[in-house]
Amino acid sequence: MLDSRAQERLNELRGLLIGLAAAEGDMVSLMREAVDNWQPSDELSARGTVLTVGDGIATVAGLDNIRYGEILIFAGGVRGMAEELKRDYVSCILFGDDEPITEGSLVKRTGRTAGIPVGDGFIGRVVNALGMPIDGKGKIESHGYMPIEAAAPAIIERQPVSVPLETGLLCIDSMFPIGRGQRELIIGDRQTGKTTIAVDTILNQKGKDVTCIYVAIGQKASSVAQICATLKEHGADKYTVVVNASASEPASLQYIAPYAGCAIAEYFMYQGKDVLIVYDDLSKHAIAYRTLSLLLERSPGREAYPGDVFYLHSRLLERSARLSDKLGGGSMTALPIVETQAGDVSAYIPTNIISITDGQIFLESELFFEGQRPAVNIGLSVSRVGSAAQTQALKKASAGLRLTLAQYKEIEVFNQFSSELDEATARRLRHGKNLLTLLRQEQSEPLAQYEQIILLIAGMSNVFDRVETDKISKLKSGIIGYVKETLPEICEAIEKSGKISESDSKAISFAAHEYIEKSASNG
């Protein structure tokens, strides 16, 4: 039905035409007849009525032609999204307080699917899942509008992952390299350093022309504020966008947050830029979706998740890619984070995301409490892209590292039941333990490529075997500084080209041995 104002205007027009008919004749009569026979419609059911509202869910009647995912405007300006299309009504999730909405209040269609404003102005800002700034720095000027749900690039629109995205973490770059366009899962129990790995990777992109997106899902606001402070302290805020849907936000905002972050990342990717996006974490994202699904009365399945929970994350992570040169050659690298319970990687959500991603970095609580940080389990971690996303220098320097550590772990297990060791076995045990110690790294201190190669060459050439294990951490920075001082041309060449010759490798090994001898003679 038309509102009273529109009806009054129609009556005025009808009266005017009647007056004109007496003066103008048949032509105006035909116009009057057309107006009389016109049946008013409400623009394809552009308005509906709220039937019920509560717990962030509203059911609306009268929206016969609505599309899935379309945005609606409720009383008080609250926005919602059509999430469940039934025969007689539509169930919507609300993106704000439902207090102004009552039964019988009107709902207006917008004709637009859910999206987020995008633009270069978002870099260095903190926004919510709707793209609104929450950092108190004023309005953000947008350059466009991207849908939060979009089809992933087709196979023909992609190219192989072959360009490394360095994390700055020695144990990851040497054994589980990540390439631009890859999806590498970070998985482990609570408080094992998952977020630290992601943040350190962001810090390591400084000066490498990579735009970073950090999406916080269901995190404490204080934790997100601390991460923002760390980024600012190291100058990483100048190339990073933070999308925050904290634990205090409605489940609906936590649900759309990773898609909103992905839309912002796609804006930069289709401009030909390289993007790194962190989803922290998708366990809480799945819980938010489960909450909404149960409120929408969808049937629960395994672990009370709905049957489409796999599609929830697959349609998100499949959007990560390295585009073909024809489309600009941009890339989106995803680091999704998943929290496990008691190290159980066989739970529903972890197994789903493991099957979607291109590898996983598994963090073990036992290693973390032993002081091995990052607490990466070498046996369960893998990168399915492998050395294809590794520079020649790093590939050469790390050759045999993972096998050596795997053998050390095996010998260590048998050593628990043995009272005596032969000299060769004891030497291998000491060498493996020293290599593990070498892989330890402090938080927020990513290493440059040449620094990693110096340490790897020194470690694999048994430089540290003559050193007590507890002194290795102190000697690492000294070796790096000494090699950089004595062989500056080699260090510069490695950083620029990513390549190293056999002679350069031997020169670094010799310099490392020389430094250890000088340190030993100086006490």
Side-chain angles (χ1 to χ4, degrees):
M1 293 180 63
L2 292 174
D3 57 28
S4 57
R5 188 174 180 183
Q7 189 65 54
E8 288 175 6
R9 289 193 172 186
L10 184 60
N11 291 336
E12 288 177 7
L13 178 60
R14 185 180 287 112
L16 180 62
L17 289 174
I18 292 172
L20 288 172
E24 301 293 339
D26 292 340
M27 183 175 176
V28 177
S29 298
L30 291 173
M31 293 173 62
R32 184 180 66 182
E33 184 180 351
V35 172
D36 287 336
N37 294 331
W38 176 69
Q39 296 294 324
S41 63
D42 199 12
E43 298 179 359
L44 295 176
S45 303
R47 293 180 183 272
T49 306
V50 175
L51 298 177
T52 61
V53 61
D55 296 322
I57 304 293
T59 56
V60 182
L63 302 177
D64 298 333
N65 299 291
I66 194 168
R67 294 176 293 171
Y68 176 82
E70 186 173 334
I71 294 296
L72 305 171
I73 300 179
F74 291 81
V78 177
R79 293 180 178 268
M81 184 172 73
E83 188 69 19
E84 188 85 8
L85 307 182
K86 299 288 188 179
R87 184 183 297 274
D88 300 319
Y89 64 90
V90 177
S91 294
C92 307
I93 58 175
L94 303 175
F95 298 135
D97 187 7
D98 58 13
E99 188 176 348
I101 305 170
T102 58
E103 295 181 14
S105 60
L106 291 177
V107 182
K108 184 179 179 182
R109 286 180 60 184
T110 62
R112 301 172 70 180
T113 54
I116 187 171
V118 293
D120 295 339
F122 280 79
I123 296 177
R125 303 297 300 273
V126 182
V127 298
N128 63 13
L130 301 177
M132 300 169 60
I134 55 175
D135 53 5
K137 296 181 180 178
K139 186 179 178 181
I140 300 175
E141 184 179 350
S142 62
H143 297 154
Y145 187 85
M146 297 279 288
I148 63 171
E149 296 271 13
I155 296 297
I156 200 170
E157 296 174 337
R158 303 171 181 242
Q159 61 177 312
V161 175
S162 59
V163 180
L165 185 136
E166 296 161 357
T167 65
L169 300 171
L170 183 59
C171 64
I172 295 176
D173 289 341
S174 60
M175 294 183 286
F176 318 106
I178 299 172
R180 299 190 181 188
Q182 188 176 340
R183 301 154 298 176
E184 184 78 1
L185 172 64
I186 303 173
I187 185 169
D189 286 0
R190 184 174 177 271
Q191 297 293 326
T192 52
K194 301 185 298 297
T195 300
T196 300
I197 287 179
V199 172
D200 283 357
T201 304
I202 292 175
L203 298 183
N204 196 52
Q205 305 314 308
K206 187 174 183 179
K208 297 182 180 178
D209 198 25
V210 176
T211 304
C212 300
I213 318 287
Y214 177 81
V215 184
I217 311 161
Q219 306 293 324
K220 292 186 296 184
S222 58
S223 300
V224 179
Q226 190 173 0
I227 290 170
C228 292
T230 301
L231 295 175
K232 187 173 182 179
E233 180 185 349
H234 293 83
D237 59 320
K238 297 177 182 178
Y239 54 85
T240 304
V241 183
V242 177
V243 180
N244 181 33
S246 61
S248 60
E249 300 284 351
S252 55
L253 289 179
Q254 295 182 40
Y255 162 57
I256 68 166
Y259 301 104
C262 189
I264 296 173
E266 283 180 330
Y267 166 77
F268 294 107
M269 179 177 71
Y270 283 107
Q271 286 185 340
K273 298 180 180 179
D274 293 311
V275 185
L276 168 67
I277 184 165
V278 176
Y279 302 110
D280 189 9
D281 64 62
L282 292 188
S283 301
K284 293 182 177 65
H285 181 233
I287 291 171
Y289 183 65
R290 176 172 63 184
T291 302
L292 293 174
S293 298
L294 294 176
L295 289 171
L296 291 167
E297 299 180 356
R298 292 174 177 168
S299 300
R302 178 180 167 186
E303 298 181 21
Y305 290 104
D308 63 340
V309 74
F310 181 88
Y311 182 55
L312 173 77
H313 292 141
S314 64
R315 73 178 190 264
L316 170 70
L317 295 172
E318 287 294 334
R319 292 161 71 178
S320 299
R322 184 181 174 212
L323 298 178
S324 64
D325 292 334
K326 187 177 180 181
L327 291 177
S331 69
M332 187 200 307
T333 308
L335 294 181
I337 296 175
V338 166
E339 184 178 303
T340 55
Q341 303 292 330
D344 183 16
V345 294
S346 65
Y348 193 21
I349 300 303
T351 51
N352 278 352
I353 302 178
I354 285 172
S355 65
I356 297 167
T357 50
D358 306 312
Q360 68 274 349
I361 297 167
F362 180 69
L363 304 181
E364 192 175 9
S365 299
E366 187 177 340
L367 287 172
F368 184 84
F369 296 134
E370 288 175 359
Q372 186 67 32
R373 302 176 186 180
V376 178
N377 183 307
I378 297 166
L380 294 178
S381 301
V382 66
S383 172
R384 297 188 183 98
V385 172
S387 59
Q390 219 172 15
T391 62
Q392 180 268 346
L394 204 50
K395 192 186 305 184
K396 183 179 178 64
S398 61
L401 174 62
R402 192 173 180 185
L403 179 61
T404 303
L405 291 174
Q407 290 173 343
Y408 160 70
K409 282 293 183 182
E410 188 176 343
I411 296 173
E412 188 184 35
V413 171
F414 284 104
N415 185 43
Q416 296 175 358
F417 307 100
S418 176
S419 57
E420 294 183 5
L421 292 174
D422 60 87
E423 186 179 343
T425 304
R427 195 185 311 115
R428 290 173 67 183
L429 270 174
R430 186 169 60 253
H431 180 59
K433 188 176 182 180
N434 288 345
L435 283 178
L436 269 183
T437 306
L438 183 67
L439 296 178
R440 292 181 183 178
Q441 203 164 330
E442 295 295 327
Q443 183 176 346
S444 303
E445 293 184 7
L447 296 171
Q449 182 180 194
Y450 78 90
E451 294 174 330
Q452 294 184 9
I453 289 166
I454 290 171
L455 293 178
L456 287 170
I457 291 175
M460 295 304 290
S461 59
N462 304 321
V463 168
F464 295 105
D465 288 2
R466 293 173 293 167
V467 178
E468 293 180 18
T469 304
D470 57 355
K471 294 182 179 179
I472 291 177
S473 297
K474 295 180 181 179
L475 290 171
K476 288 196 301 183
S477 58
I479 284 181
I480 291 172
Y482 184 77
V483 174
K484 186 179 179 180
E485 182 182 346
T486 56
L487 304 170
E489 301 85 0
I490 294 177
C491 295
E492 188 177 349
I494 291 172
E495 197 62 24
K496 284 185 177 180
S497 66
K499 296 180 180 180
I500 188 171
S501 64
E502 187 67 33
S503 59
D504 289 347
S505 180
K506 289 180 179 178
I508 291 174
S509 177
F510 180 80
H513 276 96
E514 194 175 49
Y515 177 79
I516 293 295
E517 289 176 2
K518 286 184 177 180
S519 299
S521 61
N522 293 333

